Amino acid sequence: MKKKAKRRKISSFNELYYENHEDNFKAELLPSWMESYTNYIRADIEQTLPEYYKKFKQGTIVMIDFGVRVGSEISGQHFGVTLSNKDDKFQRNILVAPLTSHPGRNHISLGYEIMQNMNDRFNEKSKETLEIINYMEEEMKNLVKKVNDLSHEVEKDFFTQNNIEVTEENLHLTIRMPGRSETSPVNVKQKEFINKLKQYNYTEFPCLKKFIELVSELLDKADSFIPRFDKANKNILILNSLTAKAKRYNKETYADISNITTISKLRVTKFSENNLSENTYASQASINHIKERLNNLI
């Protein structure tokens, strides 16, 4: 098609595109959708589409960008349930039924199953994360106790012979685990003290030798735990946010069988373990219910 013909055909679209339609959902959605749509077409033209695609189990709940469509066809981002039964990594498209919280003609009630599954998922993840935090805290607590029990038996003669100043703080530990990616100043001081002791010959002082070994292990473990603490604390915040978000969706769910459609897998929100999408499933009973109603419809 020649440029002049292209300009003529696109002129009416441009008028709509640049007009102000704040009261119209589809018109307001159009700029964002055209950006996404352009990226999809460009990837197709430049042959940069993925070679393999995510495989979806039937019944997976996914967030989908349906774009801007006409009439009563569903538009925008909505949850959907995957219906394809034999999906694999070579399939570029997936069959989905959009989900809605509004009853209507050809809207099949799935009850509160989907939202309950989501809440159960987030509660399970929160429990797992708290167990990780408790495990690390218990590990640190046990090591600190071993060190502090041993500190009373450390040979004080060593410090006198080598003219080393030692305080109760040096021998009785209070290792700290900050909720950020840095080493506690208390731990830094303790490291400096232990490194100083390692410069001397302490082989004839068995309790001190064991003390140095235990403190070194404890400080190394504290350092290794810091990023894990960070991640766990961030996950708790994210899960709390997702739980609050899920509560807003905590309504009866309906599958809109009049809008069942095939969509590109590129339009499915990317998976994240801390996302609503792909983290829950519809039951087989719900899938069978959708199939029965669809068979009646066609």
Side-chain angles (χ1 to χ4, degrees):
M1 185 181 295
K2 294 182 179 181
K3 288 184 178 180
K4 187 175 181 179
K6 286 183 177 181
R7 291 193 186 98
R8 186 175 67 252
K9 287 182 177 294
I10 203 70
S11 61
S12 61
F13 170 80
N14 285 337
E15 288 179 13
L16 174 64
Y17 186 88
Y18 290 108
E19 287 172 359
N20 185 10
H21 293 282
E22 292 182 358
D23 58 339
N24 187 283
F25 166 71
K26 292 183 180 179
E28 283 296 293
L29 194 63
L30 197 54
S32 296
W33 170 238
M34 290 312 300
E35 180 182 22
S36 299
Y37 189 71
T38 299
N39 291 334
Y40 296 145
I41 299 299
R42 189 180 300 281
D44 205 354
I45 293 171
E46 296 176 356
Q47 298 183 346
T48 56
L49 292 171
E51 183 177 359
Y52 303 112
Y53 292 78
K54 184 169 181 68
K55 179 181 177 180
F56 291 96
K57 177 184 175 183
Q58 187 183 60
T60 306
I61 305 302
V62 291
M63 179 63 82
I64 305 158
D65 184 359
F66 286 97
V68 179
R69 309 173 88 177
V70 300
S72 60
E73 294 177 11
I74 197 163
S75 295
Q77 291 200 341
H78 287 273
F79 284 115
V81 55
T82 60
L83 300 178
S84 300
N85 190 32
K86 296 182 179 179
D87 190 32
D88 59 51
K89 64 181 181 179
F90 300 105
Q91 299 292 330
R92 295 185 174 187
N93 301 326
I94 192 81
L95 185 66
V96 296
L99 298 178
T100 176
S101 59
H102 304 292
R105 186 181 180 186
N106 294 322
H107 287 189
I108 303 170
S109 175
L110 303 181
Y112 292 85
E113 172 188 82
I114 305 301
M115 291 304 111
Q116 185 59 53
N117 287 347
M118 282 188 180
N119 284 324
D120 290 346
R121 165 76 176 177
F122 298 146
N123 288 335
E124 181 184 343
K125 291 291 292 182
S126 293
K127 182 180 177 182
E128 289 174 1
T129 304
L130 287 173
E131 285 175 353
I132 291 171
I133 291 175
N134 291 337
Y135 161 76
M136 290 188 286
E137 289 179 340
E138 193 64 27
E139 281 281 291
M140 295 298 296
K141 181 180 175 182
N142 291 337
L143 268 175
V144 168
K145 185 177 185 306
K146 284 183 181 180
V147 171
N148 290 336
D149 287 346
L150 182 62
S151 67
H152 303 293
E153 302 176 25
V154 170
E155 300 87 350
K156 305 299 189 297
D157 292 349
F158 169 83
F159 303 108
T160 305
Q161 291 176 18
N162 292 283
N163 197 26
I164 297 174
E165 184 179 345
V166 62
T167 65
E168 183 64 23
E169 187 181 63
N170 294 137
L171 297 179
H172 194 83
L173 301 192
T174 53
I175 302 297
R176 304 191 187 282
M177 290 303 307
R180 55 191 184 279
S181 297
E182 62 182 51
T183 303
S184 164
V186 176
N187 298 11
V188 171
K189 288 182 180 179
Q190 194 63 40
K191 278 186 180 180
E192 291 172 351
F193 177 69
I194 291 298
N195 288 335
K196 181 179 179 180
L197 296 185
K198 288 180 178 179
Q199 297 174 11
Y200 296 87
N201 182 3
Y202 51 82
T203 54
E204 296 180 4
F205 302 90
C207 289
L208 176 62
K209 181 174 182 293
K210 183 64 176 175
F211 175 83
I212 291 172
E213 290 172 353
L214 278 175
V215 174
S216 297
E217 178 187 353
L218 180 58
L219 290 168
D220 288 344
K221 184 158 285 190
D223 284 347
S224 70
F225 279 173
I226 286 173
R228 294 174 65 184
F229 264 107
D230 276 351
K231 183 178 179 182
N233 287 328
K234 287 176 183 175
N235 282 347
I236 290 293
L237 292 175
I238 291 170
L239 287 165
N240 287 341
S241 173
L242 288 173
T243 300
K245 189 185 293 186
K247 285 181 180 178
R248 295 202 299 270
Y249 291 110
N250 194 22
K251 300 176 182 178
E252 190 171 0
T253 303
Y254 299 85
D256 182 358
I257 62 170
S258 63
N259 268 303
I260 287 177
T261 184
T262 300
I263 55 106
S264 168
K265 290 180 180 178
L266 297 175
R267 292 161 68 177
V268 176
T269 300
K270 287 185 178 179
F271 171 74
S272 165
E273 64 178 11
N274 292 322
N275 204 335
L276 294 176
S277 184
E278 296 183 54
N279 272 316
T280 191
Y281 300 87
S283 67
Q284 189 58 52
S286 291
I287 296 297
N288 291 340
H289 189 31
I290 293 172
K291 287 180 180 178
E292 289 171 8
R293 287 293 300 272
L294 183 59
N295 285 334
N296 293 334
L297 187 66
I298 60 177

